[in-house]
Structures are given as C-alpha cells and as structure tokens.
Amino acid sequence: MMNSSSTEFTAKDGRSFAFPVGTAFLLLAALLWWRDKQLAMQITGGLGVTLYVLGAIIPGRLGPVYRGWMKMALAISKVTTPIFMGLVYFVVLTPTGLLMKLFGRRPMVHEPEDEGFWKSTSGRPTSDLSRQF
C-alpha cells in the first residue's frame, strides 16, 4: 500500500486503504443486518462509515490506523497460514501421494532400460546460455 521508496503516508495511500476496508465493513454490516444481528451490524456499519468519512476528509492522517491494521493482519496470518498450509498438505498432497503409490506411479524412479531425463543432442548446442532472458 505505502510507497516502498518513502515512509510518508500520503492522501492517496489513505484513500486506497480507507475505501476498500470501509466497503468490506459495510458489506459485512449488510450481511449481519440480513442475519438479524443488530449490535454487530451497528458496530461494523459504524466502522465502515467512519473509514469512508475519514478517507474523504483526512486521508493522509490515517497512517496510524493503517499501521495498526497491518500489525493485526500480520498477527492473524501467523496463525492462519500454518493451519491453511497444513490442511493443503494433509487434505490434498498426502492423499495424492497415497493414490500414486497405490496405483504404482513413481515419477522420480527410472526403469532400468530407461535412459533418464537427460536428452542427448548431437552436434552443436542450441544455446550458449549467454543471453538467458
């Protein structure tokens, strides 16, 4: 969000933080209204409206709010990321590996008559790797 070359929180940074996050709070408030959760709807709706108003009036002064928001996001990600990656490993990768083993698929093992992954080229190489990109 903030420009990496400067540490100054600009009005543009404030608006690009306040309006999307305010929209998310307002959408959450609408969902809570639909689910008839009045207190939670009022809190999230108030936060959304407050962010919209502050983003319109004083967007350059939202730096502390933005930094606090990002610290909270970092703390949440330290918990959710290992949980999500563990689920991916145990729900997707482990069953895939077990099914491959069950059906005899071993992609890293070569048959004795197989020459391997290396392909021999005859003659001059196609590239000298001096200009890779």
Side-chain angles (χ1 to χ4, degrees):
M1 172 94 50
M2 286 178 43
N3 188 352
S4 61
S5 63
S6 101
T7 58
E8 183 180 329
F9 193 81
T10 65
K12 181 181 177 187
D13 293 332
R15 284 188 296 273
S16 64
F17 163 69
F19 295 145
V21 175
T23 301
F25 274 122
L26 291 174
L27 289 172
L28 182 59
L31 177 67
L32 291 166
W33 172 78
W34 181 62
R35 301 285 309 254
D36 200 27
K37 307 285 185 188
Q38 292 300 314
L39 180 62
M41 182 270 303
Q42 291 172 354
I43 293 170
T44 56
L47 286 171
V49 169
T50 302
L51 275 173
Y52 258 91
V53 169
L54 293 176
I57 296 174
I58 52 168
R61 305 222 19 184
L62 290 174
V65 177
Y66 170 75
R67 285 188 289 279
W69 182 263
M70 294 310 290
K71 284 181 183 176
M72 183 183 69
L74 180 64
I76 290 171
S77 76
K78 287 186 184 276
V79 173
T80 58
T81 300
I83 291 171
F84 177 74
M85 295 306 289
L87 283 172
V88 167
Y89 183 80
F90 288 111
V91 174
V92 176
L93 296 177
T94 301
T96 302
L98 291 174
L99 285 171
M100 288 174 67
K101 189 170 192 149
L102 179 69
F103 289 109
R105 179 120 187 333
R106 299 177 68 190
M108 297 302 290
V109 176
H110 296 290
E111 298 298 324
E113 65 273 353
D114 192 6
E115 294 179 17
F117 290 120
W118 292 98
K119 304 287 184 212
S120 62
T121 59
S122 59
R124 203 172 104 131
T126 59
S127 170
D128 64 358
L129 300 179
S130 62
R131 295 192 58 190
Q132 296 181 31
F133 303 103

